[in-house]
Amino acid sequence: MSKMRRSERIVRLTQILLEHPHRVLSLTEMAEKLASAKSSLSEDLAIIRDVMEAEGLGTLETQAGAAGGVRYVPGLRADLAEQFVQQVAQRLCSGDRILPGGFLYMSDVLGQTDVLDTAGKMFASRFREAGAEFVVTVETKGIPLAVATAKYLNVPMVIVRRDHKVTEGSSVSVNYVSGSRRIQTMSLSRRSLPERTKVLIIDDFMKAGGTAKALADLMREFQVEVVGVGVFISTIDPLDKMIDNYVSLATLSEMNEATREVAITPGTYFA
Amino acid sequence: MSKMRRSERIVRLTQILLEHPHRVLSLTEMAEKLASAKSSLSEDLAIIRDVMEAEGLGTLETQAGAAGGVRYVPGLRADLAEQFVQQVAQRLCSGDRILPGGFLYMSDVLGQTDVLDTAGKMFASRFREAGAEFVVTVETKGIPLAVATAKYLNVPMVIVRRDHKVTEGSSVSVNYVSGSRRIQTMSLSRRSLPERTKVLIIDDFMKAGGTAKALADLMREFQVEVVGVGVFISTIDPLDKMIDNYVSLATLSEMNEATREVAITPGTYFA
């Protein structure tokens, strides 16, 4: 490959870094790939890091030395995160969304790629030091959020099923009592998680926390450590959840079926 | 904002473009945002386009004139796509993966962020001219693929449920006969899809095509047009599927429970 000009190198480096968050990329390998000197690469990376930091989009961590490498650590500046939650709240705060039984319709919002992408960045940014080796969710509505978070943390994503499936092989199941007081089941394929790993739990909604607690119980069966719990929206009531230390992006602070009023405020992420 | 240097501008432009595939970005707005002349921007974009095309990662489409804009169209060069399918095949072609009943365990592969990302790029690239306004999938294992595809097509993603859920509001349901000869149900919230739109169906696996056909029937109830069907893996048998013109990334061409042999070959994507 012929030598690249700086501007070409910067396009390629930016692209490689953005597409591989949280992966340490070897400077030696990149220098070979781009047919450039490591010193030029270091200057390029400094420019990229400065722009990322100025725009509040994360940073680059570089390790010096012969085995030197660089890693893109996604982030989202606090004001951009707040702006995002305000936009989501605006969309969700509509009386039309209140369903019989006091549920809030939010499937459309959780299908928007921009929403998923930003939420994934926020979770990945908050839990970047937690050491999660997998992102775990339970079907169904939390899956897209788990996909986006796993992407920005560069770890695989694991889906817990509501019942045992023939396509999953031998599985471990637990029962729990859901918010609607029914006994429910969760089931996870034995092959899906190695023992003694660390996981981050991601879900779309938390009321009392029964689902998250059941997920944590299931993880214990796998001898797996839960290093964090992230939910898109948690309800203000009950204040005492069955899980401590969860991170929610937004709080459903009011939903009145009679007056059709919905209020959504920033979540524990901002506390 | 102070004027940016070319190299800084290129970092920012590359990042904006990569994070917003298939969106027309106004040159005027970008020039303001980056405090730069449109002519400089055009030169930057030409550099970015050249690198993207040389690396086989897609292209930029620019529209000239006062209302001029630029759009990143993701793609994946044929040899990189083939290499990807070979890697996936290598991982899946293991006798250990054959489950009782003749199912192939592939949930772990479908949880790998690299796999999802590349598969999403391939589907988005193949269906880029199809005009899909939504990506539709049915729970559960196709959801991560649908998320990745929707991201690269810049359209929302819609999840069809296996049964009617209280959190989805009023829904339309259809029954169908699955590959295992059982009668199954699919249900989709009325609010999730506007009438007279176009959708792309994405799923993880296709044998006879009963699920895809049921999804297409459900779409008809919504007066929605199916402009394409993409599956991660289709089986070679039966050759005649209930759906025509599907695109599969890989073909399961052999799976023998007795000899524990599995063979996976490139799918109709490469035909």
Side-chain angles (χ1 to χ4, degrees):
Chain A
M1 174 173 174
S2 62
K3 198 168 177 311
M4 278 184 155
R5 284 181 299 150
R6 157 144 296 157
S7 46
E8 292 168 341
R9 241 171 25 223
I10 284 186
V11 175
R12 190 72 178 107
L13 279 172
T14 304
Q15 180 259 327
I16 293 173
L17 289 161
L18 287 179
E19 295 206 337
H20 301 93
H22 273 287
R23 187 172 309 174
V24 178
L25 302 165
S26 145
L27 283 183
T28 309
E29 278 173 34
M30 286 211 288
E32 275 170 32
K33 203 168 185 171
L34 304 182
S36 307
K38 273 205 239 181
S39 56
S40 318
L41 233 54
S42 296
E43 290 167 29
D44 299 342
L45 291 170
I47 295 169
I48 296 174
R49 190 194 54 229
D50 289 350
V51 175
M52 279 185 178
E53 291 185 352
E55 303 287 338
L57 302 166
T59 189
L60 297 187
E61 288 176 5
T62 45
Q63 288 140 13
V70 59
R71 188 164 66 128
Y72 159 50
V73 181
L76 196 66
R77 214 168 53 207
D79 60 319
L80 298 176
E82 266 173 56
Q83 202 180 307
F84 165 72
V85 170
Q86 269 164 19
Q87 282 164 0
V88 166
Q90 212 160 20
R91 282 204 61 184
L92 289 177
C93 285
S94 152
D96 293 350
R97 291 186 172 273
I98 304 180
L99 298 173
F103 296 95
L104 188 70
Y105 180 74
M106 48 186 231
S107 298
D108 57 338
V109 171
L110 290 175
Q112 299 280 342
T113 56
D114 273 14
V115 170
L116 296 173
D117 210 65
T118 307
K121 251 183 218 165
M122 286 173 71
F123 287 131
S125 161
R126 170 54 53 98
F127 294 109
R128 66 177 151 199
E129 306 293 349
E133 294 159 88
F134 292 85
V135 169
V136 173
T137 191
V138 58
E139 58 185 343
T140 299
K141 294 219 298 290
I143 298 174
L145 290 165
V147 171
T149 307
K151 182 195 157 100
Y152 282 113
L153 282 176
N154 185 35
V155 298
M157 191 252 334
V158 169
I159 302 172
V160 173
R161 308 299 294 259
R162 291 287 180 183
D163 45 21
H164 175 65
K165 298 286 178 190
V166 286
T167 54
E168 298 292 325
S170 91
S171 298
V172 176
S173 300
V174 293
N175 291 318
Y176 68 104
V177 179
S178 74
S180 49
R181 302 255 155 248
R182 283 187 307 153
I183 294 205
Q184 303 217 20
T185 304
M186 275 184 191
S187 180
L188 181 57
S189 170
R190 278 208 176 278
R191 314 177 178 224
S192 61
L193 272 180
E195 283 188 2
R196 275 171 261 284
T197 44
K198 294 178 177 177
V199 303
L200 168 64
I201 290 176
I202 294 290
D203 210 352
D204 59 318
F205 196 79
M206 184 189 288
K207 196 170 180 180
T211 304
K213 167 130 191 331
L215 271 170
D217 290 344
L218 182 59
M219 291 303 104
R220 208 164 310 135
E221 297 284 334
F222 278 77
Q223 301 190 39
V224 155
E225 185 189 347
V226 177
V227 296
V229 176
V231 297
F232 190 68
I233 294 197
S234 60
T235 55
I236 200 161
D237 177 50
L239 205 59
D240 266 344
K241 310 284 192 209
M242 291 165 80
I243 282 270
D244 295 329
N245 297 322
Y246 64 93
V247 170
S248 67
L249 305 190
T251 303
L252 181 60
S253 44
E254 199 194 337
M255 181 162 61
N256 189 320
E257 278 192 77
T259 62
R260 313 301 284 173
E261 271 171 297
V262 181
I264 287 173
T265 48
T268 65
Y269 181 96
F270 300 94
Chain B
M1 174 174 176
S2 63
K3 195 166 177 315
M4 275 185 156
R5 285 182 299 154
R6 157 144 297 157
S7 47
E8 292 169 341
R9 240 170 27 220
I10 284 187
V11 175
R12 191 71 178 108
L13 279 172
T14 304
Q15 180 258 327
I16 293 174
L17 288 161
L18 287 179
E19 295 205 337
H20 301 95
H22 274 286
R23 189 173 309 174
V24 178
L25 303 165
S26 145
L27 283 183
T28 309
E29 278 173 34
M30 285 212 288
E32 274 171 32
K33 202 167 186 171
L34 305 181
S36 306
K38 273 206 239 180
S39 55
S40 317
L41 232 55
S42 295
E43 290 166 29
D44 300 342
L45 291 170
I47 294 169
I48 296 174
R49 190 193 54 228
D50 289 350
V51 175
M52 278 184 179
E53 291 185 353
E55 302 287 338
L57 302 166
T59 189
L60 298 186
E61 287 177 4
T62 45
Q63 288 141 10
V70 58
R71 186 164 68 127
Y72 159 48
V73 181
L76 196 66
R77 215 169 51 208
D79 61 318
L80 299 176
E82 266 172 57
Q83 202 180 307
F84 165 72
V85 170
Q86 269 163 20
Q87 282 165 359
V88 167
Q90 211 159 22
R91 282 204 60 185
L92 290 177
C93 285
S94 152
D96 293 352
R97 290 187 172 273
I98 304 180
L99 300 172
F103 296 96
L104 188 70
Y105 180 74
M106 47 186 231
S107 298
D108 57 338
V109 171
L110 289 175
Q112 299 281 341
T113 56
D114 275 12
V115 170
L116 296 173
D117 209 64
T118 306
K121 252 183 217 164
M122 286 173 71
F123 286 131
S125 161
R126 170 54 52 99
F127 293 110
R128 64 178 152 200
E129 305 294 350
E133 294 159 88
F134 292 86
V135 169
V136 173
T137 191
V138 58
E139 58 185 343
T140 298
K141 294 219 297 292
I143 298 173
L145 290 165
V147 171
T149 307
K151 182 195 156 99
Y152 282 113
L153 283 176
N154 186 35
V155 298
M157 191 253 333
V158 168
I159 302 173
V160 173
R161 308 298 295 258
R162 291 287 180 182
D163 45 20
H164 176 66
K165 298 286 176 189
V166 287
T167 55
E168 298 292 325
S170 91
S171 298
V172 176
S173 300
V174 293
N175 291 319
Y176 69 103
V177 179
S178 74
S180 49
R181 303 255 154 249
R182 283 188 308 155
I183 293 205
Q184 303 218 22
T185 305
M186 275 184 191
S187 180
L188 182 57
S189 169
R190 278 208 176 279
R191 313 176 178 226
S192 61
L193 272 180
E195 283 188 2
R196 275 172 260 283
T197 44
K198 294 179 178 178
V199 303
L200 168 65
I201 290 176
I202 294 290
D203 210 353
D204 59 318
F205 196 78
M206 184 189 287
K207 197 171 181 180
T211 304
K213 166 125 193 334
L215 272 170
D217 290 345
L218 182 59
M219 291 304 103
R220 208 162 310 135
E221 297 285 332
F222 279 76
Q223 300 190 40
V224 156
E225 184 189 347
V226 177
V227 295
V229 176
V231 297
F232 190 68
I233 293 196
S234 60
T235 55
I236 199 161
D237 176 50
L239 205 60
D240 265 346
K241 310 285 193 208
M242 292 164 79
I243 281 267
D244 295 328
N245 298 322
Y246 64 92
V247 170
S248 67
L249 305 190
T251 303
L252 181 59
S253 43
E254 198 194 337
M255 181 161 59
N256 189 321
E257 278 191 78
T259 62
R260 312 301 285 172
E261 272 171 295
V262 180
I264 287 172
T265 48
T268 66
Y269 181 96
F270 300 94

